[in-house]
């Protein structure tokens, strides 16, 4: 917590526009940022409620403070517009300072701010402004403090039974961070799919197998395809929703990648009911015509 927090001109502008309760909202937002991912938080439909419930204000008040914070530069506007996240160069600087003694730190390059005084973008760090062209899908890897990241692609597998071999040797220098992957899934599908609480050995094995077969990028491509599929999110005749384990089953994962669930599926139950009603009407008309001819 900066000692000049309450005298910062950005804070003062937010307080002047949104009232004294805005400081509690901002502090609560910062706490959630540092607690969850460390240097950013995804702004989704649930976050205003969470903050409002903790602070004791309305969701509208939280929304108002957030918009003003973006306007005055307390949060980075560009990254919010692009990725719907709340972060800033100051937040990222504190995160790096706080995690300086860690051997490894998780960084998503596309979420970083191009700022010369941002230590995450320092020339001595392997994550620099040019890395921002990398996809988020390729970035949930461990970055060591010496600034070395491996961009080696995982060993490709053939359909003839090499998946297991590739899985065992998967990413020797570039491990999947399962905690970050779990948080990414929960944030992406908050309020849409059941959240997961842990990634056990069975789930790790499935994740590694899919990454070995299609590459790590495919995992995030699949997440985006699921997010765009109303059918997989519950708009179907059974009100069924997929879940984390269903997604990572080999057949399901492949079908999602191939676009089998793209767009909105037709409600088959409604279609069947409509067809049955139409047949009943036709049958009724035929019977009425038959009766009139007999008479």
């Amino acid at each position: 917590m900066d000692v000049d927090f309450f005298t910062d001109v950005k804070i003062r502008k937010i307080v002047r526009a949104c009232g004294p309760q805005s400081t509690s909202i901002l502090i609560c937002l910062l706490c959630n940022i540092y607690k969850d991912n460390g240097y950013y938080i995804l702004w989704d439909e649930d976050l205003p409620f969470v903050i409002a419930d903790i602070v004791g204000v309305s969701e509208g008040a939280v929304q108002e403070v957030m918009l003003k914070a973006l306007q005055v530069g307390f949060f980075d506007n560009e990254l919010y517009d692009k990725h719907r996240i709340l972060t800033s160069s100051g937040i990222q600087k504190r995160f790096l300072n706080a995690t300086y003694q860690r051997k490894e730190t998780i960084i998503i390059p596309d979420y970083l701010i191009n700022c010369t005084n941002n230590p995450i973008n320092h020339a001595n760090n392997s994550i620099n402004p040019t890395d921002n062209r990398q996809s988020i899908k390729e970035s949930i890897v461990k970055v060591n403090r010496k600034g070395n990241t491996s961009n080696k692609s995982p060993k490709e597998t053939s359909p003839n039974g090499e998946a297991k071999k590739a899985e065992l040797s998967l990413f020797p220098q570039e491990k999947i961070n399962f905690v970050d992957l779990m948080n990414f899934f929960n944030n992406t599908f908050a309020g849409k799919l059941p959240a997961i609480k842990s990634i056990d050995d069975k789930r790790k094995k499935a994740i590694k197998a899919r990454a070995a077969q299609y590459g790590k990028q495919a995992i995030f491509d699949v997440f985006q395809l699921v997010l765009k599929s109303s059918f997989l999110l519950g708009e179907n005749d059974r009100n069924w929703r997929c879940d984390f384990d269903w997604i990572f089953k080999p057949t399901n994962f492949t079908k999602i990648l191939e676009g089998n669930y793209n767009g909105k599926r037709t409600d088959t139950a409604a279609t069947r009911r409509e067809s049955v009603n139409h047949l009943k009407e036709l049958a009724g008309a035929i019977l009425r015509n038959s009766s009139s001819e007999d008479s």
Side-chain angles (χ1 to χ4, degrees):
M1 187 77 179
D2 290 337
V3 293
D4 62 348
F5 180 85
F6 290 98
T7 57
D8 187 310
V9 65
K10 295 175 184 177
I11 303 295
R12 289 158 63 187
K13 287 180 178 179
I14 296 170
V15 173
R16 177 67 64 89
C18 306
Q21 65 187 13
S22 56
T23 56
S24 298
I25 294 172
L26 289 172
I27 291 171
C28 192
L29 279 169
L30 291 172
C31 288
N32 278 271
I33 289 172
Y34 292 126
K35 178 188 70 172
D36 292 343
N37 298 304
Y39 62 99
Y40 75 93
I41 194 169
L42 287 170
W43 181 269
D44 56 26
E45 60 185 13
D46 292 327
L47 187 57
F49 168 78
V50 171
I51 302 299
D53 189 57
I54 294 173
V55 178
V57 297
S58 66
E59 293 183 47
V62 177
Q63 182 83 17
E64 183 184 11
V65 169
M66 185 274 292
L67 292 175
K68 188 65 180 179
L70 288 169
Q71 181 186 343
V72 302
F74 184 83
F75 294 123
D76 187 83
N77 220 324
E78 182 179 349
L79 287 178
Y80 174 78
D81 290 338
K82 190 174 181 180
H83 299 297
R84 298 285 291 182
I85 65 169
L86 299 180
T87 188
S88 70
S89 60
I91 289 170
Q92 294 183 7
K93 178 181 177 181
R94 293 182 194 93
F95 169 76
L96 191 67
N97 288 338
T99 59
Y100 182 75
Q101 293 184 343
R102 289 184 189 173
K103 291 182 179 180
E104 296 164 329
T105 299
I106 305 303
I107 298 295
I108 299 180
D110 278 8
Y111 286 5
L112 300 184
I113 295 170
N114 272 333
C115 181
T116 55
N117 63 359
N118 187 344
I120 298 182
N121 291 322
H122 194 274
N124 293 330
N125 194 307
S126 61
I127 301 297
N128 53 48
T130 59
D131 291 326
N132 285 345
R133 292 191 297 271
Q134 297 181 47
S135 168
I136 300 171
K137 309 174 189 69
E138 301 172 348
S139 62
I140 296 192
V141 297
K142 293 182 178 180
V143 180
N144 64 42
R145 302 312 304 168
K146 293 180 181 179
N148 297 321
T149 55
S150 172
N151 291 322
K152 294 181 180 179
S153 300
K155 189 180 293 184
E156 294 185 2
T157 60
S158 59
N160 59 359
E162 290 297 317
K164 182 64 179 178
K165 181 179 178 182
E167 179 186 344
L168 294 175
S169 60
L170 186 64
F171 315 133
Q173 300 177 22
E174 189 177 285
K175 298 179 181 178
I176 297 175
N177 186 289
F178 296 105
V179 174
D180 243 40
L181 182 61
M182 178 181 69
N183 291 335
F184 188 89
F185 176 86
N186 289 340
N187 286 330
T188 300
F189 295 104
K192 297 179 177 66
L193 296 180
I196 56 174
K197 302 299 183 183
S198 64
I199 296 183
D200 56 19
D201 289 340
K202 184 178 179 181
R203 285 175 172 172
K204 288 179 182 179
K205 184 177 179 180
I207 293 166
K208 287 181 179 180
R210 302 294 80 75
Q213 187 176 7
Y214 295 107
K216 295 195 306 299
Q217 176 175 334
I219 293 175
F220 299 92
D221 288 343
V222 162
F223 285 172
Q224 292 304 310
L225 288 170
V226 171
L227 195 61
K228 295 175 183 177
S229 172
S230 54
F231 177 83
L232 294 179
L233 297 181
E235 292 186 25
N236 52 71
D237 57 318
R238 296 176 294 158
N239 291 322
W240 168 85
R241 295 185 298 171
C242 68
D243 57 23
F244 186 89
D245 296 317
W246 186 92
I247 290 171
F248 280 94
K249 288 182 178 179
T251 304
N252 299 338
F253 195 91
T254 301
K255 285 183 178 180
I256 296 170
L257 269 182
E258 292 176 348
N260 288 18
Y261 299 99
N262 289 358
K264 185 175 182 179
R265 290 285 190 89
T266 303
D267 188 334
T268 54
T271 303
R272 287 197 297 268
R273 286 194 298 270
E274 185 178 342
S275 299
V276 170
N277 290 335
H278 183 62
L279 288 173
K280 285 181 178 179
E281 290 175 1
L282 286 176
I286 292 170
L287 290 173
R288 286 194 296 273
N289 289 335
S290 299
S291 299
S292 62
E293 289 175 0
D294 292 341
S295 60

